[in-house]
Amino acid sequence: MSKITAAITAVGAYVPDFRLTNKVLETMVDTTDEWITTRTGIKERRILKDPDKGTSFLAIKAAEDLIAKRNLDPKEIDLVLLGTATPDMPVASTAVYVATKIGATNAFAFDLQAACSNFLFGMSTAARFIESGKYKKVLLIGADKMSSIIDYTDRTTCIIFGDGAGAVLFEPNTEGLGLLDEYLRVDGSGREFLKIDAGGSLMPPTEETVKEKKHFVFQDGKSVFKFAVSNMADVAARIMDRNNLTHDDVNWLVAHQANKRIIDATAKRMELEESKVMMNIEKYGNTTSATLPLLLHDYEAQLKKGDDLVFAAFGGGFTWGAIYLKWAYNS
Ligand code: UT7
């Protein structure tokens, strides 16, 4: 019997309507459109304004988009994985709520948390379930309501992040398509540079933690930038070497959208021309768990069966890695 690989067979996405532009940010904090554009590549980001909606709302919308596009019966889904850094609640898995709401009544479900590498690590997790032969349809969603953990008076973070969600379906493939290799890394000494101090078991919430704004994202951008540039480029180059891929072979780089300069550096290391680099950071900013599936959604029409894709991400923790995947369908 041919080896089972895990192929992506459908994509869905959702972003909220409200656009927070650089121009509007200029009125909120001491920044300029020029600074944000040249330092990050971001022009605007989407924000989920409704105070009574959490990450599950975004995730459900993305999953429903995929289900409608594929004409999929949600009862056929075996597993729902949700990568998120902003679950609806600290306890009661958001993935479980999402699975029930989309009608995946035969699935089990759980959340994954590895910051901006959520979707990448989720791809690896989804693939293992498919490769086992026991599970036929795994829905992987990346969703984040980053606006719920951002201090909109802090110019070092509020210009970067946005809200959004994307979803992909993994199914077994025996033609050699799908996830073929991965190189995933972590370094816990990095947690000082990108974190939310309070609200977890180490620093439970108190009046002081709220007053001191310790429930918002803190980022030492310069340090994270240095680690991100070298590590993301390293793993992307390594996965190419390991699979004997040259820059001619690679059709697409699908890289986490944190900063255009980091993506450009990775592409340069891979000797990849600009037209092969998926990019939508200008529209959405950094949506944490949703960047990779939002790219797949925006570029889906250009992808062809057999295309060689290199995925790469870097996130808080630190977490990072690269995945080599052969695209499985023409849309
Ligand atoms: O997705 C998870 C992983 N995260 C990342 O990969 C993010 C990595 N880091 C970055 O993308 C960049 O470090 C940032 C975009 C966050 C910042 O860019 P930078 O080029 O590293 O700027 P910086 O932090 O070194 O700041 C340069 C200057 C500072 O002023 P001084 O000290 O030189 O006078 C900052 O105070 O820019 C100032 N600055 C700003 N100026 C205008 C910082 N934020 C802003 C701002 N507008 N929004």
Side-chain angles (χ1 to χ4, degrees), residues 29-32 35-36 39-40 115-117 154-161 194 219-226 228-229 256-262 286 288 314-316 318:
V29 289
D30 181 14
T31 192
T32 61
W35 192 95
I36 302 171
R39 298 288 179 125
T40 69
C116 290
S117 300
D154 177 2
R155 69 175 182 174
T156 68
T157 51
C158 75
I159 56 128
I160 296 168
F161 294 98
L194 178 46
Q219 176 170 246
D220 171 353
K222 214 187 265 287
S223 301
V224 178
F225 186 90
K226 271 189 222 146
V229 163
H256 175 54
Q257 308 282 292
N259 188 316
K260 183 172 184 302
R261 289 183 290 145
I262 300 174
N286 182 348
T288 301
F314 186 91
F318 291 132

CSV table of all heavy atoms in Angstrom, one decimal, residues 29-32 35-36 39-40 115-117 154-161 194 219-226 228-229 256-262 286 288 314-316 318, ligand 1:
chain,number,residue,atom,x,y,z
A,29,VAL,N,-1.8,57.2,18.6
A,29,VAL,CA,-0.5,57.1,19.3
A,29,VAL,C,0.5,57.9,18.5
A,29,VAL,O,0.2,58.3,17.3
A,29,VAL,CB,0.0,55.6,19.4
A,29,VAL,CG1,-0.8,54.9,20.4
A,29,VAL,CG2,0.0,54.9,18.1
A,30,ASP,N,1.7,58.1,19.1
A,30,ASP,CA,2.7,58.9,18.4
A,30,ASP,C,3.4,58.1,17.3
A,30,ASP,O,4.4,57.4,17.6
A,30,ASP,CB,3.7,59.4,19.5
A,30,ASP,CG,4.8,60.3,18.9
A,30,ASP,OD1,4.7,60.7,17.7
A,30,ASP,OD2,5.8,60.5,19.6
A,31,THR,N,2.8,58.0,16.2
A,31,THR,CA,3.4,57.3,15.1
A,31,THR,C,3.0,57.9,13.7
A,31,THR,O,2.3,58.9,13.7
A,31,THR,CB,2.9,55.8,15.1
A,31,THR,OG1,3.7,55.0,14.2
A,31,THR,CG2,1.4,55.7,14.7
A,32,THR,N,3.6,57.4,12.7
A,32,THR,CA,3.3,57.9,11.3
A,32,THR,C,3.0,56.7,10.4
A,32,THR,O,3.6,55.6,10.6
A,32,THR,CB,4.4,58.7,10.7
A,32,THR,OG1,5.6,57.9,10.6
A,32,THR,CG2,4.7,59.9,11.6
A,35,TRP,N,6.4,55.6,9.1
A,35,TRP,CA,7.2,54.7,10.0
A,35,TRP,C,6.6,53.3,10.0
A,35,TRP,O,7.4,52.3,9.8
A,35,TRP,CB,7.1,55.2,11.5
A,35,TRP,CG,8.1,54.6,12.4
A,35,TRP,CD1,9.4,55.0,12.7
A,35,TRP,CD2,8.0,53.3,13.0
A,35,TRP,NE1,10.0,54.1,13.5
A,35,TRP,CE2,9.2,53.0,13.7
A,35,TRP,CE3,6.9,52.3,13.1
A,35,TRP,CZ2,9.4,51.9,14.5
A,35,TRP,CZ3,7.2,51.2,13.9
A,35,TRP,CH2,8.4,51.0,14.6
A,36,ILE,N,5.3,53.2,10.1
A,36,ILE,CA,4.7,51.8,10.1
A,36,ILE,C,5.0,51.1,8.8
A,36,ILE,O,5.4,49.9,8.8
A,36,ILE,CB,3.2,51.9,10.4
A,36,ILE,CG1,2.9,52.6,11.7
A,36,ILE,CG2,2.6,50.5,10.4
A,36,ILE,CD1,1.4,52.9,12.0
A,39,ARG,N,8.8,50.2,8.4
A,39,ARG,CA,9.4,49.3,9.4
A,39,ARG,C,8.7,47.9,9.4
A,39,ARG,O,9.3,47.0,9.8
A,39,ARG,CB,9.2,49.9,10.8
A,39,ARG,CG,10.0,51.1,11.1
A,39,ARG,CD,11.5,50.8,11.1
A,39,ARG,NE,12.2,52.1,11.4
A,39,ARG,CZ,13.0,52.3,12.4
A,39,ARG,NH1,13.3,51.3,13.2
A,39,ARG,NH2,13.7,53.4,12.5
A,40,THR,N,7.4,47.9,8.9
A,40,THR,CA,6.7,46.6,9.0
A,40,THR,C,6.0,46.2,7.7
A,40,THR,O,5.8,45.0,7.5
A,40,THR,CB,5.5,46.7,10.0
A,40,THR,OG1,4.5,47.6,9.5
A,40,THR,CG2,6.0,47.3,11.4
A,115,ALA,N,1.8,30.4,20.2
A,115,ALA,CA,1.9,31.8,19.7
A,115,ALA,C,1.8,31.9,18.2
A,115,ALA,O,1.0,31.2,17.6
A,115,ALA,CB,3.1,32.5,20.3
A,116,CYS,N,2.7,32.6,17.6
A,116,CYS,CA,2.6,32.8,16.1
A,116,CYS,C,3.0,31.6,15.3
A,116,CYS,O,2.8,31.6,14.1
A,116,CYS,CB,3.5,34.0,15.7
A,116,CYS,SG,2.8,35.6,16.3
A,117,SER,N,3.4,30.5,16.0
A,117,SER,CA,3.7,29.3,15.3
A,117,SER,C,2.5,28.3,15.4
A,117,SER,O,2.6,27.1,15.0
A,117,SER,CB,4.9,28.6,15.8
A,117,SER,OG,6.1,29.4,15.6
A,154,ASP,N,-0.2,51.8,23.4
A,154,ASP,CA,1.2,51.3,23.3
A,154,ASP,C,1.6,51.2,21.8
A,154,ASP,O,1.2,50.3,21.1
A,154,ASP,CB,1.4,50.0,24.0
A,154,ASP,CG,2.8,49.4,23.8
A,154,ASP,OD1,3.7,50.1,23.2
A,154,ASP,OD2,3.1,48.3,24.3
A,155,ARG,N,2.4,52.2,21.3
A,155,ARG,CA,2.7,52.3,19.9
A,155,ARG,C,3.6,51.1,19.4
A,155,ARG,O,3.7,50.9,18.2
A,155,ARG,CB,3.3,53.6,19.5
A,155,ARG,CG,4.7,53.8,20.0
A,155,ARG,CD,5.3,55.1,19.5
A,155,ARG,NE,6.7,55.2,20.0
A,155,ARG,CZ,7.5,56.2,19.6
A,155,ARG,NH1,7.1,57.1,18.8
A,155,ARG,NH2,8.7,56.2,20.1
A,156,THR,N,4.3,50.5,20.3
A,156,THR,CA,5.2,49.4,19.9
A,156,THR,C,4.4,48.1,19.5
A,156,THR,O,5.0,47.2,18.9
A,156,THR,CB,6.2,49.1,21.0
A,156,THR,OG1,5.6,48.5,22.1
A,156,THR,CG2,7.0,50.3,21.4
A,157,THR,N,3.2,48.0,20.0
A,157,THR,CA,2.4,46.8,19.6
A,157,THR,C,1.1,47.0,18.9
A,157,THR,O,0.7,46.2,18.0
A,157,THR,CB,2.0,46.0,20.9
A,157,THR,OG1,1.4,46.9,21.8
A,157,THR,CG2,3.2,45.3,21.6
A,158,CYS,N,0.5,48.2,19.1
A,158,CYS,CA,-0.9,48.4,18.5
A,158,CYS,C,-0.8,48.6,17.0
A,158,CYS,O,-1.8,48.4,16.4
A,158,CYS,CB,-1.6,49.5,19.2
A,158,CYS,SG,-1.1,51.2,18.8
A,159,ILE,N,0.3,48.9,16.5
A,159,ILE,CA,0.4,49.1,15.1
A,159,ILE,C,0.6,47.8,14.3
A,159,ILE,O,0.5,47.7,13.1
A,159,ILE,CB,1.6,50.0,14.7
A,159,ILE,CG1,2.9,49.4,15.3
A,159,ILE,CG2,1.4,51.4,15.2
A,159,ILE,CD1,4.0,49.3,14.3
A,160,ILE,N,0.9,46.7,15.1
A,160,ILE,CA,1.3,45.4,14.4
A,160,ILE,C,0.1,44.5,14.2
A,160,ILE,O,0.0,43.9,13.1
A,160,ILE,CB,2.4,44.7,15.3
A,160,ILE,CG1,3.6,45.6,15.3
A,160,ILE,CG2,2.7,43.4,14.7
A,160,ILE,CD1,4.6,45.1,16.4
A,161,PHE,N,-0.7,44.3,15.2
A,161,PHE,CA,-1.6,43.1,15.3
A,161,PHE,C,-3.0,43.4,14.7
A,161,PHE,O,-3.5,44.6,14.8
A,161,PHE,CB,-1.7,42.6,16.7
A,161,PHE,CG,-0.4,42.0,17.2
A,161,PHE,CD1,0.5,42.8,18.0
A,161,PHE,CD2,0.0,40.7,16.8
A,161,PHE,CE1,1.7,42.3,18.4
A,161,PHE,CE2,1.2,40.2,17.2
A,161,PHE,CZ,2.1,41.0,18.1
A,194,LEU,N,8.5,38.3,24.5
A,194,LEU,CA,7.2,38.4,23.9
A,194,LEU,C,6.2,37.7,24.7
A,194,LEU,O,6.3,36.4,24.8
A,194,LEU,CB,7.2,37.9,22.4
A,194,LEU,CG,5.9,37.9,21.6
A,194,LEU,CD1,5.2,39.2,21.7
A,194,LEU,CD2,6.2,37.5,20.2
A,219,GLN,N,6.1,43.3,24.0
A,219,GLN,CA,7.1,42.8,23.0
A,219,GLN,C,8.4,43.7,23.0
A,219,GLN,O,8.3,44.9,22.8
A,219,GLN,CB,6.6,42.7,21.6
A,219,GLN,CG,7.6,42.2,20.6
A,219,GLN,CD,7.1,41.9,19.2
A,219,GLN,OE1,7.1,40.8,18.8
A,219,GLN,NE2,6.6,42.9,18.5
A,220,ASP,N,9.5,43.0,23.2
A,220,ASP,CA,10.8,43.7,22.9
A,220,ASP,C,11.1,43.4,21.5
A,220,ASP,O,11.7,42.4,21.1
A,220,ASP,CB,11.9,43.1,23.9
A,220,ASP,CG,13.3,43.6,23.5
A,220,ASP,OD1,13.5,44.3,22.5
A,220,ASP,OD2,14.2,43.2,24.3
A,221,GLY,N,10.5,44.3,20.6
A,221,GLY,CA,10.5,44.1,19.2
A,221,GLY,C,11.9,43.9,18.6
A,221,GLY,O,12.1,43.0,17.8
A,222,LYS,N,12.9,44.7,19.0
A,222,LYS,CA,14.2,44.6,18.4
A,222,LYS,C,14.8,43.2,18.7
A,222,LYS,O,15.3,42.5,17.7
A,222,LYS,CB,15.1,45.6,19.1
A,222,LYS,CG,16.1,46.2,18.1
A,222,LYS,CD,17.1,47.1,18.9
A,222,LYS,CE,16.8,48.6,18.9
A,222,LYS,NZ,17.0,49.3,17.7
A,223,SER,N,14.7,42.6,19.9
A,223,SER,CA,15.2,41.3,20.2
A,223,SER,C,14.5,40.2,19.4
A,223,SER,O,15.1,39.3,18.8
A,223,SER,CB,15.1,41.0,21.7
A,223,SER,OG,15.8,41.9,22.4
A,224,VAL,N,13.1,40.3,19.4
A,224,VAL,CA,12.3,39.3,18.7
A,224,VAL,C,12.7,39.4,17.2
A,224,VAL,O,12.9,38.3,16.5
A,224,VAL,CB,10.8,39.5,18.9
A,224,VAL,CG1,10.0,38.5,18.1
A,224,VAL,CG2,10.5,39.5,20.3
A,225,PHE,N,12.9,40.6,16.7
A,225,PHE,CA,13.2,40.7,15.3
A,225,PHE,C,14.5,40.0,14.9
A,225,PHE,O,14.6,39.2,13.9
A,225,PHE,CB,13.4,42.2,15.0
A,225,PHE,CG,13.6,42.5,13.5
A,225,PHE,CD1,12.5,42.8,12.7
A,225,PHE,CD2,14.9,42.6,13.0
A,225,PHE,CE1,12.7,43.0,11.3
A,225,PHE,CE2,15.1,42.9,11.6
A,225,PHE,CZ,14.0,43.1,10.8
A,226,LYS,N,15.5,40.2,15.8
A,226,LYS,CA,16.8,39.5,15.5
A,226,LYS,C,16.7,38.0,15.5
A,226,LYS,O,17.2,37.3,14.6
A,226,LYS,CB,17.8,39.9,16.6
A,226,LYS,CG,18.6,41.2,16.4
A,226,LYS,CD,19.7,41.3,17.4
A,226,LYS,CE,19.7,42.8,17.8
A,226,LYS,NZ,20.1,43.0,19.2
A,228,ALA,N,13.9,36.3,15.0
A,228,ALA,CA,13.0,35.9,13.9
A,228,ALA,C,13.7,35.8,12.6
A,228,ALA,O,13.6,34.9,11.8
A,228,ALA,CB,11.8,36.8,13.9
A,229,VAL,N,14.5,36.9,12.3
A,229,VAL,CA,15.2,37.0,11.0
A,229,VAL,C,16.1,35.8,10.8
A,229,VAL,O,16.0,35.1,9.8
A,229,VAL,CB,16.0,38.3,10.9
A,229,VAL,CG1,17.0,38.2,9.8
A,229,VAL,CG2,15.0,39.5,10.6
A,256,HIS,N,4.9,33.4,7.9
A,256,HIS,CA,4.2,34.2,8.9
A,256,HIS,C,4.3,35.7,8.6
A,256,HIS,O,5.5,36.2,8.4
A,256,HIS,CB,4.7,33.8,10.3
A,256,HIS,CG,4.1,34.6,11.4
A,256,HIS,ND1,2.7,34.7,11.6
A,256,HIS,CD2,4.7,35.4,12.3
A,256,HIS,CE1,2.5,35.5,12.6
A,256,HIS,NE2,3.7,35.9,13.1
A,257,GLN,N,3.2,36.4,8.7
A,257,GLN,CA,3.2,37.8,8.4
A,257,GLN,C,3.4,38.6,9.6
A,257,GLN,O,2.4,39.1,10.2
A,257,GLN,CB,1.9,38.2,7.6
A,257,GLN,CG,1.6,37.3,6.4
A,257,GLN,CD,2.4,37.6,5.2
A,257,GLN,OE1,2.3,38.7,4.6
A,257,GLN,NE2,3.3,36.7,4.8
A,258,ALA,N,4.6,38.8,10.1
A,258,ALA,CA,4.9,39.6,11.3
A,258,ALA,C,5.5,40.9,10.9
A,258,ALA,O,5.3,41.9,11.5
A,258,ALA,CB,5.8,38.8,12.3
A,259,ASN,N,6.4,40.8,9.9
A,259,ASN,CA,7.1,42.0,9.5
A,259,ASN,C,7.6,41.8,8.1
A,259,ASN,O,8.3,40.7,7.8
A,259,ASN,CB,8.3,42.3,10.4
A,259,ASN,CG,8.9,43.6,10.2
A,259,ASN,OD1,9.2,44.0,9.0
A,259,ASN,ND2,9.2,44.4,11.2
A,260,LYS,N,7.3,42.7,7.1
A,260,LYS,CA,7.8,42.4,5.7
A,260,LYS,C,9.3,42.2,5.6
A,260,LYS,O,9.8,41.5,4.8
A,260,LYS,CB,7.3,43.6,4.8
A,260,LYS,CG,7.6,43.4,3.4
A,260,LYS,CD,7.0,44.4,2.5
A,260,LYS,CE,7.2,44.1,1.0
A,260,LYS,NZ,8.7,44.0,0.7
A,261,ARG,N,10.0,42.9,6.5
A,261,ARG,CA,11.5,42.8,6.5
A,261,ARG,C,12.0,41.4,6.8
A,261,ARG,O,13.0,40.9,6.3
A,261,ARG,CB,12.1,43.9,7.4
A,261,ARG,CG,12.0,45.3,6.8
A,261,ARG,CD,12.7,46.3,7.7
A,261,ARG,NE,12.0,46.5,9.0
A,261,ARG,CZ,12.7,46.7,10.2
A,261,ARG,NH1,14.0,46.7,10.2
A,261,ARG,NH2,12.0,46.8,11.3
A,262,ILE,N,11.2,40.8,7.7
A,262,ILE,CA,11.6,39.4,8.1
A,262,ILE,C,11.3,38.4,7.0
A,262,ILE,O,12.1,37.5,6.6
A,262,ILE,CB,10.8,38.9,9.4
A,262,ILE,CG1,11.2,39.9,10.6
A,262,ILE,CG2,11.2,37.5,9.7
A,262,ILE,CD1,10.3,39.6,11.8
A,286,ASN,N,-0.3,41.5,11.6
A,286,ASN,CA,0.0,40.2,12.1
A,286,ASN,C,-1.2,39.7,12.9
A,286,ASN,O,-1.6,40.1,13.9
A,286,ASN,CB,1.2,40.4,13.1
A,286,ASN,CG,1.6,39.1,13.7
A,286,ASN,OD1,1.0,38.1,13.6
A,286,ASN,ND2,2.8,39.1,14.4
A,288,THR,N,-1.4,36.6,14.0
A,288,THR,CA,-0.9,35.5,14.9
A,288,THR,C,-1.2,34.1,14.3
A,288,THR,O,-0.5,33.7,13.4
A,288,THR,CB,-1.4,35.7,16.3
A,288,THR,OG1,-0.9,37.0,16.8
A,288,THR,CG2,-0.8,34.6,17.3
A,314,PHE,N,7.7,32.2,12.8
A,314,PHE,CA,8.4,32.4,14.1
A,314,PHE,C,7.5,33.1,15.1
A,314,PHE,O,6.7,34.0,14.7
A,314,PHE,CB,9.6,33.3,13.8
A,314,PHE,CG,10.5,33.5,15.0
A,314,PHE,CD1,11.5,32.6,15.3
A,314,PHE,CD2,10.2,34.5,16.0
A,314,PHE,CE1,12.3,32.8,16.4
A,314,PHE,CE2,11.0,34.6,17.1
A,314,PHE,CZ,12.0,33.8,17.3
A,315,GLY,N,7.5,32.7,16.3
A,315,GLY,CA,6.6,33.3,17.3
A,315,GLY,C,7.1,33.3,18.7
A,315,GLY,O,8.2,32.8,19.0
A,316,GLY,N,6.3,33.9,19.6
A,316,GLY,CA,6.7,34.0,21.0
A,316,GLY,C,6.9,32.6,21.6
A,316,GLY,O,6.4,31.6,21.1
A,318,PHE,N,10.4,31.2,22.6
A,318,PHE,CA,10.2,31.3,21.2
A,318,PHE,C,9.8,29.9,20.5
A,318,PHE,O,10.1,28.9,21.0
A,318,PHE,CB,11.5,31.7,20.5
A,318,PHE,CG,11.9,33.1,20.8
A,318,PHE,CD1,13.2,33.4,21.1
A,318,PHE,CD2,11.0,34.2,20.7
A,318,PHE,CE1,13.6,34.7,21.4
A,318,PHE,CE2,11.3,35.5,20.9
A,318,PHE,CZ,12.6,35.8,21.3
B,1,UT7,O1,4.8,37.5,15.2
B,1,UT7,C1,5.6,37.1,16.4
B,1,UT7,C2,7.0,37.5,16.2
B,1,UT7,N1,7.1,39.0,16.2
B,1,UT7,C3,7.9,39.5,15.3
B,1,UT7,O2,8.5,38.8,14.5
B,1,UT7,C4,8.1,41.0,15.4
B,1,UT7,C5,9.6,41.3,15.3
B,1,UT7,N2,9.9,42.8,15.5
B,1,UT7,C6,9.5,43.7,14.7
B,1,UT7,O3,8.8,43.5,13.7
B,1,UT7,C7,10.1,45.1,14.8
B,1,UT7,O4,11.1,45.0,15.9
B,1,UT7,C8,9.1,46.2,15.2
B,1,UT7,C9,8.2,46.5,14.0
B,1,UT7,C10,8.2,45.7,16.3
B,1,UT7,C11,9.8,47.5,15.6
B,1,UT7,O5,10.7,47.9,14.5
B,1,UT7,P1,12.2,48.2,14.8
B,1,UT7,O6,12.8,48.6,13.5
B,1,UT7,O7,12.8,47.0,15.5
B,1,UT7,O8,12.1,49.4,15.8
B,1,UT7,P2,12.7,49.6,17.2
B,1,UT7,O9,11.9,48.9,18.2
B,1,UT7,O10,14.2,49.4,17.2
B,1,UT7,O11,12.4,51.1,17.4
B,1,UT7,C12,13.1,52.1,16.7
B,1,UT7,C13,12.6,53.5,17.1
B,1,UT7,C14,12.7,53.7,18.6
B,1,UT7,O12,13.0,55.0,18.8
B,1,UT7,P3,14.5,55.5,19.3
B,1,UT7,O13,14.7,54.7,20.5
B,1,UT7,O14,15.4,55.0,18.1
B,1,UT7,O15,14.4,56.9,19.4
B,1,UT7,C15,11.2,53.5,19.0
B,1,UT7,O16,10.8,54.2,20.2
B,1,UT7,O17,11.3,53.7,16.7
B,1,UT7,C16,10.5,54.0,17.8
B,1,UT7,N3,9.2,53.4,17.6
B,1,UT7,C17,8.2,54.0,16.9
B,1,UT7,N4,8.2,55.2,16.2
B,1,UT7,C18,7.0,55.5,15.5
B,1,UT7,C19,8.7,52.2,18.1
B,1,UT7,N5,7.4,52.1,17.7
B,1,UT7,C20,7.1,53.2,16.9
B,1,UT7,C21,6.0,53.5,16.2
B,1,UT7,N6,6.0,54.7,15.5
B,1,UT7,N7,4.9,52.8,16.2
